[in-house]
Amino acid sequence: MLFDLDATLLDHDTARDAAIRSLLPAHDQLTSAEVKDLLAQWQRISHQLYERYLAGELTFAQQRLQRITQFSAEVIDLGVRSDDGAWAVFEQYQREYQHHWRPFDDVAPTVASLRAAGLAMAVVTNGPDEQQRKKVARIGLTDFPVLASGALGFSKPDPRIFAAASECVRQPVHACLMVGDNPDADVAGARAAGMQAVLLDRSAGSTAERSGLPTIRTLLQLVQGNLGNGTVE
């Protein structure tokens, strides 16, 4: 059993939003609609820059710095006037982000059941090795192997990361089930590599309806369904 990390095991969105709110000047004076728009703009900028990082166009540090400078220039003035100033703002963001790292409520009972069933498990994640390992440790999965793109040099949906994961859990690719929230990177990528995969859609179902992929709403369905052939009933 292979798991994505952010938005699958760790509640990344809640941590991210709390960190962004800590940066907003006079945030108590903003309407809920204004805050919602600011959060959406941060997500848009972050996604664009992170894709460039995964493509090798930016280093991890560069995309962090540019995230702050671009958000401050295009969306709301954060008082950033230099790279040093941008780093100071980012460090504040990072402190709040890490402070709010939490697992989803379904993680612990699901992992306990899968362990009892004797399944080997690992985390397969796009991101820097050190940070992703810290996240895994924070949510209590210290014994999980972590395959992070930052350490391997290739990222999901590259089939090599799924091949490496199957070797890590000592199972053939076709015997592994990948679970993640991203239809392309997690599910389509794993399937292209010859692996079984299921989409975790914790939302109201819009992602699943668009994707047409095998879908679960909660990780608990992994232990409630029939996994003998890699499907979830």
Side-chain angles (χ1 to χ4, degrees):
M1 188 74 68
L2 307 174
F3 294 97
D4 172 53
L5 178 55
D6 294 308
T8 297
L9 300 175
L10 180 138
D11 188 355
H12 163 76
D13 290 0
T14 296
R16 176 202 62 207
D17 290 355
I20 297 166
R21 288 173 186 272
S22 75
L23 304 181
L24 300 179
H27 127 257
D28 290 342
Q29 299 175 18
L30 298 171
T31 67
S32 58
E34 288 172 330
V35 172
K36 183 177 180 180
D37 179 66
L38 291 171
L39 296 175
Q41 293 297 332
W42 174 274
Q43 187 174 359
R44 173 186 61 81
I45 291 170
S46 296
H47 177 75
Q48 291 172 347
L49 294 174
Y50 203 75
E51 288 299 307
R52 292 183 62 193
Y53 154 68
L54 292 176
E57 298 174 11
L58 297 171
T59 67
F60 192 68
Q62 285 172 336
Q63 65 85 26
R64 280 181 159 181
L65 182 66
Q66 194 163 328
R67 215 186 312 172
I68 295 295
T69 55
Q70 190 171 334
F71 186 74
S72 183
E74 296 180 4
V75 183
I76 188 168
D77 187 2
L78 299 177
V80 172
R81 302 295 180 263
S82 66
D83 284 355
D84 286 344
W87 279 121
V89 172
F90 184 82
E91 287 169 4
Q92 177 185 343
Y93 167 85
Q94 188 69 5
R95 283 193 300 271
E96 286 297 313
Y97 176 54
Q98 292 183 6
H99 178 71
H100 288 88
W101 285 349
R102 300 287 188 278
F104 288 101
D105 290 342
D106 55 4
V107 172
T110 300
V111 168
S113 294
L114 295 175
R115 278 187 177 134
L119 287 179
M121 292 174 279
V123 170
V124 186
T125 175
N126 286 347
D129 188 59
E130 181 179 5
Q131 174 170 273
Q132 300 305 82
R133 288 182 182 277
K134 286 181 179 178
K135 289 178 180 177
V136 172
R138 176 71 70 83
I139 63 176
L141 304 179
T142 53
D143 59 338
F144 267 45
V146 178
L147 294 96
S149 63
L152 296 172
F154 39 82
S155 58
K156 296 179 293 184
D158 191 310
R160 290 176 293 176
I161 198 168
F162 299 106
S166 71
E167 291 177 8
C168 178
V169 296
R170 299 181 180 180
Q171 294 293 326
V173 171
H174 70 268
C176 297
L177 177 67
M178 178 69 200
V179 183
D181 68 298
N182 189 305
D184 299 317
D186 295 321
V187 182
R191 284 178 150 191
M195 190 173 286
Q196 301 168 80
V198 62
L199 179 69
L200 174 63
D201 182 8
R202 296 182 181 278
S203 68
S206 58
T207 303
E209 290 167 3
R210 288 197 306 270
S211 69
L213 298 169
T215 303
I216 56 176
R217 304 287 187 219
T218 167
L219 294 177
L220 291 171
Q221 288 179 254
L222 296 172
V223 295
Q224 296 166 349
N226 173 19
L227 295 183
N229 60 0
T231 62
V232 177
E233 312 250 25

